[in-house]
PDB file of all heavy atoms in Angstrom:
ATOM      1  N   GLU A  75      78.011  71.887 109.170  1.00  0.00           N
ATOM      2  CA  GLU A  75      78.889  72.537 108.199  1.00  0.00           C
ATOM      3  C   GLU A  75      78.138  72.767 106.889  1.00  0.00           C
ATOM      4  O   GLU A  75      77.510  71.855 106.356  1.00  0.00           O
ATOM      5  CB  GLU A  75      80.105  71.639 107.945  1.00  0.00           C
ATOM      6  CG  GLU A  75      81.071  72.183 106.935  1.00  0.00           C
ATOM      7  CD  GLU A  75      82.204  71.218 106.635  1.00  0.00           C
ATOM      8  OE1 GLU A  75      82.184  70.062 107.135  1.00  0.00           O
ATOM      9  OE2 GLU A  75      83.116  71.611 105.882  1.00  0.00           O
ATOM     10  N   THR A  78      78.118  72.955  99.550  1.00  0.00           N
ATOM     11  CA  THR A  78      78.601  73.889  98.521  1.00  0.00           C
ATOM     12  C   THR A  78      77.542  74.921  98.142  1.00  0.00           C
ATOM     13  O   THR A  78      77.868  76.092  97.941  1.00  0.00           O
ATOM     14  CB  THR A  78      79.080  73.141  97.257  1.00  0.00           C
ATOM     15  OG1 THR A  78      78.035  72.308  96.782  1.00  0.00           O
ATOM     16  CG2 THR A  78      80.313  72.315  97.551  1.00  0.00           C
ATOM     17  N   ALA A  81      77.400  77.384 101.027  1.00  0.00           N
ATOM     18  CA  ALA A  81      78.629  78.180 101.057  1.00  0.00           C
ATOM     19  C   ALA A  81      78.586  79.253  99.973  1.00  0.00           C
ATOM     20  O   ALA A  81      78.970  80.404 100.206  1.00  0.00           O
ATOM     21  CB  ALA A  81      79.851  77.280 100.885  1.00  0.00           C
ATOM     22  N   LEU A  85      78.707  83.320 100.588  1.00  0.00           N
ATOM     23  CA  LEU A  85      79.629  84.223  99.895  1.00  0.00           C
ATOM     24  C   LEU A  85      78.873  85.301  99.125  1.00  0.00           C
ATOM     25  O   LEU A  85      79.266  86.475  99.146  1.00  0.00           O
ATOM     26  CB  LEU A  85      80.538  83.426  98.962  1.00  0.00           C
ATOM     27  CG  LEU A  85      81.539  82.499  99.643  1.00  0.00           C
ATOM     28  CD1 LEU A  85      82.248  81.622  98.614  1.00  0.00           C
ATOM     29  CD2 LEU A  85      82.536  83.281 100.487  1.00  0.00           C
ATOM     30  N   TRP A  97      80.714  68.773 111.835  1.00  0.00           N
ATOM     31  CA  TRP A  97      81.358  68.657 110.526  1.00  0.00           C
ATOM     32  C   TRP A  97      80.513  67.753 109.638  1.00  0.00           C
ATOM     33  O   TRP A  97      79.895  66.811 110.127  1.00  0.00           O
ATOM     34  CB  TRP A  97      82.757  68.055 110.665  1.00  0.00           C
ATOM     35  CG  TRP A  97      83.733  68.968 111.327  1.00  0.00           C
ATOM     36  CD1 TRP A  97      84.072  68.985 112.650  1.00  0.00           C
ATOM     37  CD2 TRP A  97      84.506  69.995 110.705  1.00  0.00           C
ATOM     38  NE1 TRP A  97      85.006  69.974 112.882  1.00  0.00           N
ATOM     39  CE2 TRP A  97      85.289  70.599 111.698  1.00  0.00           C
ATOM     40  CE3 TRP A  97      84.605  70.459 109.383  1.00  0.00           C
ATOM     41  CZ2 TRP A  97      86.156  71.651 111.426  1.00  0.00           C
ATOM     42  CZ3 TRP A  97      85.478  71.509 109.122  1.00  0.00           C
ATOM     43  CH2 TRP A  97      86.234  72.091 110.125  1.00  0.00           C
ATOM     44  N   GLY A 102      80.517  68.625 103.234  1.00  0.00           N
ATOM     45  CA  GLY A 102      80.890  69.916 103.811  1.00  0.00           C
ATOM     46  C   GLY A 102      81.759  70.761 102.899  1.00  0.00           C
ATOM     47  O   GLY A 102      82.627  70.242 102.201  1.00  0.00           O
ATOM     48  N   ALA A 103      81.509  72.067 102.922  1.00  0.00           N
ATOM     49  CA  ALA A 103      82.266  72.988 102.068  1.00  0.00           C
ATOM     50  C   ALA A 103      82.893  74.120 102.869  1.00  0.00           C
ATOM     51  O   ALA A 103      83.103  75.216 102.360  1.00  0.00           O
ATOM     52  CB  ALA A 103      81.355  73.543 100.985  1.00  0.00           C
ATOM     53  N   ALA A 104      83.191  73.833 104.148  1.00  0.00           N
ATOM     54  CA  ALA A 104      83.841  74.832 105.000  1.00  0.00           C
ATOM     55  C   ALA A 104      85.058  74.238 105.698  1.00  0.00           C
ATOM     56  O   ALA A 104      85.412  74.616 106.799  1.00  0.00           O
ATOM     57  CB  ALA A 104      82.849  75.389 106.020  1.00  0.00           C
ATOM     58  N   GLY A 105      85.670  73.255 105.034  1.00  0.00           N
ATOM     59  CA  GLY A 105      86.897  72.706 105.587  1.00  0.00           C
ATOM     60  C   GLY A 105      87.014  71.199 105.590  1.00  0.00           C
ATOM     61  O   GLY A 105      88.109  70.667 105.663  1.00  0.00           O
ATOM     62  N   SER A 106      85.900  70.455 105.503  1.00  0.00           N
ATOM     63  CA  SER A 106      86.029  68.999 105.559  1.00  0.00           C
ATOM     64  C   SER A 106      86.276  68.405 104.178  1.00  0.00           C
ATOM     65  O   SER A 106      87.365  67.906 103.900  1.00  0.00           O
ATOM     66  CB  SER A 106      84.813  68.366 106.232  1.00  0.00           C
ATOM     67  OG  SER A 106      83.647  68.638 105.497  1.00  0.00           O
ATOM     68  N   VAL A 107      85.281  68.440 103.305  1.00  0.00           N
ATOM     69  CA  VAL A 107      85.442  67.910 101.954  1.00  0.00           C
ATOM     70  C   VAL A 107      86.007  68.992 101.032  1.00  0.00           C
ATOM     71  O   VAL A 107      86.946  68.764 100.279  1.00  0.00           O
ATOM     72  CB  VAL A 107      84.099  67.379 101.393  1.00  0.00           C
ATOM     73  CG1 VAL A 107      84.268  66.852  99.971  1.00  0.00           C
ATOM     74  CG2 VAL A 107      83.531  66.287 102.302  1.00  0.00           C
ATOM     75  N   TYR A 108      85.426  70.162 101.115  1.00  0.00           N
ATOM     76  CA  TYR A 108      85.871  71.347 100.364  1.00  0.00           C
ATOM     77  C   TYR A 108      86.082  72.477 101.356  1.00  0.00           C
ATOM     78  O   TYR A 108      85.640  72.393 102.499  1.00  0.00           O
ATOM     79  CB  TYR A 108      84.803  71.788  99.343  1.00  0.00           C
ATOM     80  CG  TYR A 108      84.358  70.701  98.408  1.00  0.00           C
ATOM     81  CD1 TYR A 108      83.155  70.031  98.603  1.00  0.00           C
ATOM     82  CD2 TYR A 108      85.143  70.341  97.316  1.00  0.00           C
ATOM     83  CE1 TYR A 108      82.746  69.025  97.744  1.00  0.00           C
ATOM     84  CE2 TYR A 108      84.735  69.329  96.453  1.00  0.00           C
ATOM     85  CZ  TYR A 108      83.538  68.680  96.675  1.00  0.00           C
ATOM     86  OH  TYR A 108      83.133  67.690  95.825  1.00  0.00           O
ATOM     87  N   ASP A 109      86.709  73.536 100.908  1.00  0.00           N
ATOM     88  CA  ASP A 109      86.814  74.735 101.743  1.00  0.00           C
ATOM     89  C   ASP A 109      86.482  75.951 100.899  1.00  0.00           C
ATOM     90  O   ASP A 109      87.284  76.856 100.708  1.00  0.00           O
ATOM     91  CB  ASP A 109      88.200  74.872 102.373  1.00  0.00           C
ATOM     92  CG  ASP A 109      88.165  75.788 103.591  1.00  0.00           C
ATOM     93  OD1 ASP A 109      87.124  76.425 103.842  1.00  0.00           O
ATOM     94  OD2 ASP A 109      89.181  75.871 104.290  1.00  0.00           O
ATOM     95  N   LEU A 110      85.280  75.939 100.376  1.00  0.00           N
ATOM     96  CA  LEU A 110      84.809  77.003  99.496  1.00  0.00           C
ATOM     97  C   LEU A 110      84.794  78.354 100.197  1.00  0.00           C
ATOM     98  O   LEU A 110      85.127  79.375  99.596  1.00  0.00           O
ATOM     99  CB  LEU A 110      83.409  76.652  98.986  1.00  0.00           C
ATOM    100  CG  LEU A 110      82.841  77.505  97.876  1.00  0.00           C
ATOM    101  CD1 LEU A 110      83.722  77.427  96.634  1.00  0.00           C
ATOM    102  CD2 LEU A 110      81.428  77.057  97.544  1.00  0.00           C
ATOM    103  N   LEU A 111      84.418  78.363 101.473  1.00  0.00           N
ATOM    104  CA  LEU A 111      84.324  79.637 102.181  1.00  0.00           C
ATOM    105  C   LEU A 111      85.662  80.360 102.267  1.00  0.00           C
ATOM    106  O   LEU A 111      85.704  81.580 102.236  1.00  0.00           O
ATOM    107  CB  LEU A 111      83.757  79.439 103.590  1.00  0.00           C
ATOM    108  CG  LEU A 111      82.292  79.042 103.679  1.00  0.00           C
ATOM    109  CD1 LEU A 111      81.872  78.896 105.134  1.00  0.00           C
ATOM    110  CD2 LEU A 111      81.405  80.054 102.963  1.00  0.00           C
ATOM    111  N   ARG A 112      86.732  79.617 102.367  1.00  0.00           N
ATOM    112  CA  ARG A 112      88.047  80.254 102.521  1.00  0.00           C
ATOM    113  C   ARG A 112      88.926  80.125 101.282  1.00  0.00           C
ATOM    114  O   ARG A 112      90.140  80.288 101.359  1.00  0.00           O
ATOM    115  CB  ARG A 112      88.735  79.666 103.748  1.00  0.00           C
ATOM    116  CG  ARG A 112      88.010  80.056 105.031  1.00  0.00           C
ATOM    117  CD  ARG A 112      88.614  79.430 106.241  1.00  0.00           C
ATOM    118  NE  ARG A 112      88.174  78.036 106.322  1.00  0.00           N
ATOM    119  CZ  ARG A 112      88.070  77.356 107.452  1.00  0.00           C
ATOM    120  NH1 ARG A 112      88.373  77.918 108.582  1.00  0.00           N
ATOM    121  NH2 ARG A 112      87.670  76.111 107.447  1.00  0.00           N
ATOM    122  N   ASP A 113      88.297  79.883 100.142  1.00  0.00           N
ATOM    123  CA  ASP A 113      89.043  79.770  98.890  1.00  0.00           C
ATOM    124  C   ASP A 113      89.330  81.179  98.365  1.00  0.00           C
ATOM    125  O   ASP A 113      88.458  81.852  97.835  1.00  0.00           O
ATOM    126  CB  ASP A 113      88.232  78.966  97.871  1.00  0.00           C
ATOM    127  CG  ASP A 113      89.030  78.620  96.628  1.00  0.00           C
ATOM    128  OD1 ASP A 113      89.965  79.377  96.288  1.00  0.00           O
ATOM    129  OD2 ASP A 113      88.703  77.605  95.997  1.00  0.00           O
ATOM    130  N   GLY A 114      90.547  81.606  98.528  1.00  0.00           N
ATOM    131  CA  GLY A 114      90.954  82.956  98.150  1.00  0.00           C
ATOM    132  C   GLY A 114      90.916  83.235  96.658  1.00  0.00           C
ATOM    133  O   GLY A 114      91.074  84.380  96.234  1.00  0.00           O
ATOM    134  N   ARG A 115      90.705  82.203  95.839  1.00  0.00           N
ATOM    135  CA  ARG A 115      90.625  82.411  94.390  1.00  0.00           C
ATOM    136  C   ARG A 115      89.289  83.013  93.971  1.00  0.00           C
ATOM    137  O   ARG A 115      89.164  83.534  92.861  1.00  0.00           O
ATOM    138  CB  ARG A 115      90.842  81.082  93.659  1.00  0.00           C
ATOM    139  CG  ARG A 115      92.237  80.497  93.896  1.00  0.00           C
ATOM    140  CD  ARG A 115      92.344  79.112  93.336  1.00  0.00           C
ATOM    141  NE  ARG A 115      91.451  78.217  94.088  1.00  0.00           N
ATOM    142  CZ  ARG A 115      91.270  76.936  93.815  1.00  0.00           C
ATOM    143  NH1 ARG A 115      91.897  76.385  92.795  1.00  0.00           N
ATOM    144  NH2 ARG A 115      90.474  76.191  94.547  1.00  0.00           N
ATOM    145  N   LEU A 116      88.299  82.948  94.840  1.00  0.00           N
ATOM    146  CA  LEU A 116      86.977  83.471  94.507  1.00  0.00           C
ATOM    147  C   LEU A 116      86.942  84.987  94.729  1.00  0.00           C
ATOM    148  O   LEU A 116      87.642  85.505  95.591  1.00  0.00           O
ATOM    149  CB  LEU A 116      85.912  82.779  95.359  1.00  0.00           C
ATOM    150  CG  LEU A 116      85.789  81.277  95.129  1.00  0.00           C
ATOM    151  CD1 LEU A 116      84.839  80.666  96.145  1.00  0.00           C
ATOM    152  CD2 LEU A 116      85.311  80.998  93.718  1.00  0.00           C
ATOM    153  N   VAL A 120      86.780  86.736 102.219  1.00  0.00           N
ATOM    154  CA  VAL A 120      86.864  85.451 102.919  1.00  0.00           C
ATOM    155  C   VAL A 120      86.290  85.624 104.329  1.00  0.00           C
ATOM    156  O   VAL A 120      86.795  86.429 105.107  1.00  0.00           O
ATOM    157  CB  VAL A 120      88.326  84.960 102.984  1.00  0.00           C
ATOM    158  CG1 VAL A 120      88.437  83.691 103.818  1.00  0.00           C
ATOM    159  CG2 VAL A 120      88.869  84.738 101.585  1.00  0.00           C
ATOM    160  N   VAL A 123      85.611  81.747 109.976  1.00  0.00           N
ATOM    161  CA  VAL A 123      84.851  80.521 110.222  1.00  0.00           C
ATOM    162  C   VAL A 123      85.243  79.952 111.577  1.00  0.00           C
ATOM    163  O   VAL A 123      86.427  79.745 111.849  1.00  0.00           O
ATOM    164  CB  VAL A 123      85.108  79.462 109.115  1.00  0.00           C
ATOM    165  CG1 VAL A 123      84.374  78.160 109.432  1.00  0.00           C
ATOM    166  CG2 VAL A 123      84.699  79.999 107.754  1.00  0.00           C
TER     167      VAL A 123
END
Side-chain angles (χ1 to χ4, degrees):
E75 179 184 6
T78 55
L85 292 172
W97 290 96
S106 62
V107 179
Y108 306 102
D109 200 352
L110 190 61
L111 291 181
R112 293 177 282 207
D113 189 332
R115 297 172 294 177
L116 297 173
V120 175
V123 177

